Amino acid sequence: MKVLTIVGARPQFIKSAVVSRQLRKNNEEIIVHTGQHYDYNMSDVFFDELKIPRPDYNLGISGGTHGKMTGEMLIEIEKVLLIERPDMVLIYGDTNSTLAGALASVKLHIPICHVEAGVRFGTLTNPEEINRIVSDDVSAILMCCTESAVRNLSLEGKTENVFLVGDPMYDAFNFYVDKIGSKAPEKIIGLDGEEIFFPDKFYYMTCHREENAGSDEPLTEILYAMNSLKFPCVYPVHPRNKERVIQLKQKYNFKNIIACQPVGYLMSIYLTVNAEKILTDSGGLQREAFFAKKQCITIFDYIVWPETMIDNRNQLCKPCRKEIVSKINTEQSLTCALMPFGDGKAACKIAELISKFDR
Ligand code: UD1
Ligand code: UDP
């Protein structure tokens, strides 16, 4: 079978690393990178570190409004599909690249396999929710990470060709956690390229969503809270927030915040495994915190991965300094051994189901 995979953003590179490895055992794969993420440490570093085959096409489309970005991707993906004529298109998650890939494929009657199907926040104010719902609606095979995702689809009447395969992020975590080594890095690269000594003990924070980092107020609250804790906070900053973080750090003299450039996946796993606790608004990092048995605070209004909330191991929190400090400083039990994200073989199952798919 000839499968055309569409990726564009950081979390998709990680998932495709493990799925491509399995898929290529029995299928031909063409990789299309939309260009949505393009800085070295938002894109190439993942291809290098995780040994993902180089994309066959890079469309170089990024930035602008959601409509512009998605529209340009739709036009260019359609051109590639008409050249390659794949038997199936493989899309991941909920980015604008996912939506554009789904629309271009369904219009050409090419079956779509959607990995990470069925995740729902319950609000169309979130741009990723729109991308997910539309992608699920037009896909031929829906690969779910968790039982709650299967349930969400069932509530929408989607029960055919829905498969509970587990989470490829869990596969990736298991595969790469052994490769990070135990030695702490001596230094980390700051936002202006300066070298910063790496602390012995630290909190790990990522925060990039529009709701939290798109204006000064919520981000100031979050940084205030993290700056006041007993250990420094390592914060790799998404490029969209770089200027705001530099400016807020200077304005409020947040000396306990180690704001650095985005790190590669192996370093991110190192930070996850070795952090005291984690604060994030990332869908990926809150699951990785769960895999690593680290307490996590998620700055978001909606539950994205209910399975991570067991024993309050992951708790939602408002961008409010008092609430963040209180939640971070309250210890939660991390002993529960339940693993609701599969058996670490999601990628195998996805590849098998794709190979067997009968159009
Ligand atoms: C996107 C996804 C989000 C996902 C995140 C992963 C959508 C709607 N959102 O959000 O679901 O959690 O990726 O990280 O697709 N930029 C750079 N360099 C880069 C990449 C981005 O400078 O390598 C800047 C650009 O100015 C761009 C802005 O960041 O306009 C936002 O990037 P974009 O891809 O639109 O959205 P994300 O916030 O990354
Ligand atoms: N990540 C990374 N480097 C960073 C920050 C995050 O490699 O500087 C990884 C992290 O391990 C997680 C993934 O990127 O698995 C999640 O990406 P992101 O938070 O951008 O997207 P989301 O999961 O929210 O869609």
Side-chain angles (χ1 to χ4, degrees):
M1 163 143 1
K2 181 172 177 179
V3 180
L4 187 141
T5 297
I6 297 172
V7 290
R10 178 163 71 180
Q12 296 167 334
F13 308 140
I14 301 165
K15 290 160 210 165
S16 78
V18 288
V19 174
S20 285
R21 205 171 290 137
Q22 298 302 328
L23 194 62
R24 284 175 182 239
K25 289 182 180 169
N26 293 309
N27 301 282
E28 182 193 352
E29 188 191 30
I30 303 290
I31 298 182
V32 177
H33 185 328
T34 59
Q36 184 170 347
H37 286 176
Y38 52 88
D39 289 343
Y40 175 80
N41 49 15
M42 293 292 288
S43 177
D44 281 2
V45 67
F46 295 93
F47 286 83
D48 292 347
E49 274 188 352
L50 311 186
K51 302 195 170 40
I52 308 168
R54 289 284 138 193
D56 299 275
Y57 296 84
N58 190 320
L59 307 180
I61 299 162
S62 62
T65 62
H66 286 259
K68 180 172 179 289
M69 189 199 301
T70 311
E72 286 174 0
M73 287 174 182
L74 178 56
I75 293 169
E76 295 307 315
I77 292 171
E78 182 181 62
K79 288 181 191 162
V80 177
L81 292 176
L82 289 171
I83 296 169
E84 294 292 344
R85 300 263 170 209
D87 300 304
M88 175 163 283
V89 166
L90 176 56
I91 54 174
Y92 294 91
D94 53 20
T95 69
N96 290 341
S97 301
T98 314
L99 175 64
L103 292 176
S105 309
V106 72
K107 289 274 183 182
L108 293 173
H109 305 163
I110 303 168
I112 302 162
C113 171
H114 186 205
V115 171
E116 219 177 85
V119 178
R120 295 288 183 270
F121 296 180
T123 171
L124 291 180
T125 56
N126 175 268
E128 286 82 15
E129 182 88 346
I130 302 163
N131 297 346
R132 265 184 237 120
I133 291 175
V134 177
S135 300
D136 283 343
D137 270 352
V138 299
S139 289
I141 329 184
L142 298 166
M143 305 285 189
C144 296
C145 300
T146 58
E147 281 176 12
S148 66
V150 175
R151 255 194 322 273
N152 291 338
L153 291 175
S154 162
L155 287 171
E156 293 172 10
K158 299 184 188 73
T159 50
E160 239 176 85
N161 284 328
V162 172
F163 299 99
L164 178 59
V165 290
D167 186 356
M169 289 297 269
Y170 184 47
D171 296 22
F173 181 85
N174 285 335
F175 186 84
Y176 291 104
V177 75
D178 292 337
K179 300 181 175 35
I180 57 174
S182 54
K183 202 167 168 285
E186 269 178 32
K187 289 173 184 158
I188 196 156
I189 310 296
L191 288 180
D192 288 323
E194 75 283 18
E195 292 189 331
I196 308 171
F197 280 104
F198 197 81
D200 288 340
K201 289 190 165 211
F202 58 90
Y203 299 98
Y204 178 23
M205 155 170 166
T206 71
C207 181
H208 67 272
R209 292 202 184 275
E210 183 62 28
E211 294 90 329
N212 295 323
S215 58
D216 282 1
E217 203 190 325
L219 191 58
T220 305
E221 285 290 305
I222 295 165
L223 293 174
Y224 247 112
M226 297 311 284
N227 191 60
S228 72
L229 300 175
K230 60 181 168 184
F231 305 117
C233 170
V234 177
Y235 175 22
V237 178
H238 187 300
R240 67 183 288 170
N241 313 128
K242 180 177 165 183
E243 296 314 321
R244 191 181 307 281
V245 173
I246 291 176
Q247 175 234 318
L248 291 177
K249 241 181 86 82
Q250 266 170 6
K251 184 169 174 190
Y252 296 103
N253 197 20
F254 290 137
K255 287 224 160 66
N256 221 12
I257 306 283
I258 301 180
C260 61
Q261 298 190 3
V263 295
Y265 180 66
L266 297 182
M267 182 62 177
S268 181
I269 294 293
Y270 178 90
L271 293 171
T272 306
V273 169
N274 290 287
E276 296 300 308
K277 291 180 185 176
I278 291 168
L279 181 129
T280 192
D281 57 8
S282 155
L285 189 55
Q286 58 185 283
R287 269 128 82 203
E288 286 158 355
F290 185 87
F291 306 154
K293 293 204 168 201
K294 291 286 161 173
Q295 193 176 324
C296 182
I297 304 296
T298 297
I299 308 292
F300 209 55
D301 283 338
Y302 304 95
I303 294 175
V304 186
W305 294 98
E307 293 79 4
T308 61
M309 307 255 156
I310 191 164
D311 290 343
N312 283 335
R313 272 162 63 171
N314 181 22
Q315 285 178 284
L316 293 189
C317 188
K318 298 264 176 230
C320 153
R321 67 183 94 166
K322 261 175 108 178
E323 192 181 335
I324 295 171
V325 171
S326 157
K327 285 190 167 154
I328 287 246
N329 285 334
T330 307
E331 299 301 322
Q332 304 295 345
S333 164
L334 298 161
T335 52
C336 174
L338 266 186
M339 178 39 75
F341 291 93
D343 58 4
K345 296 195 171 70
C348 280
K349 291 175 195 165
I350 291 167
E352 245 173 61
L353 286 161
I354 288 176
S355 302
K356 280 195 217 147
F357 183 75
D358 183 6
R359 40 186 321 192

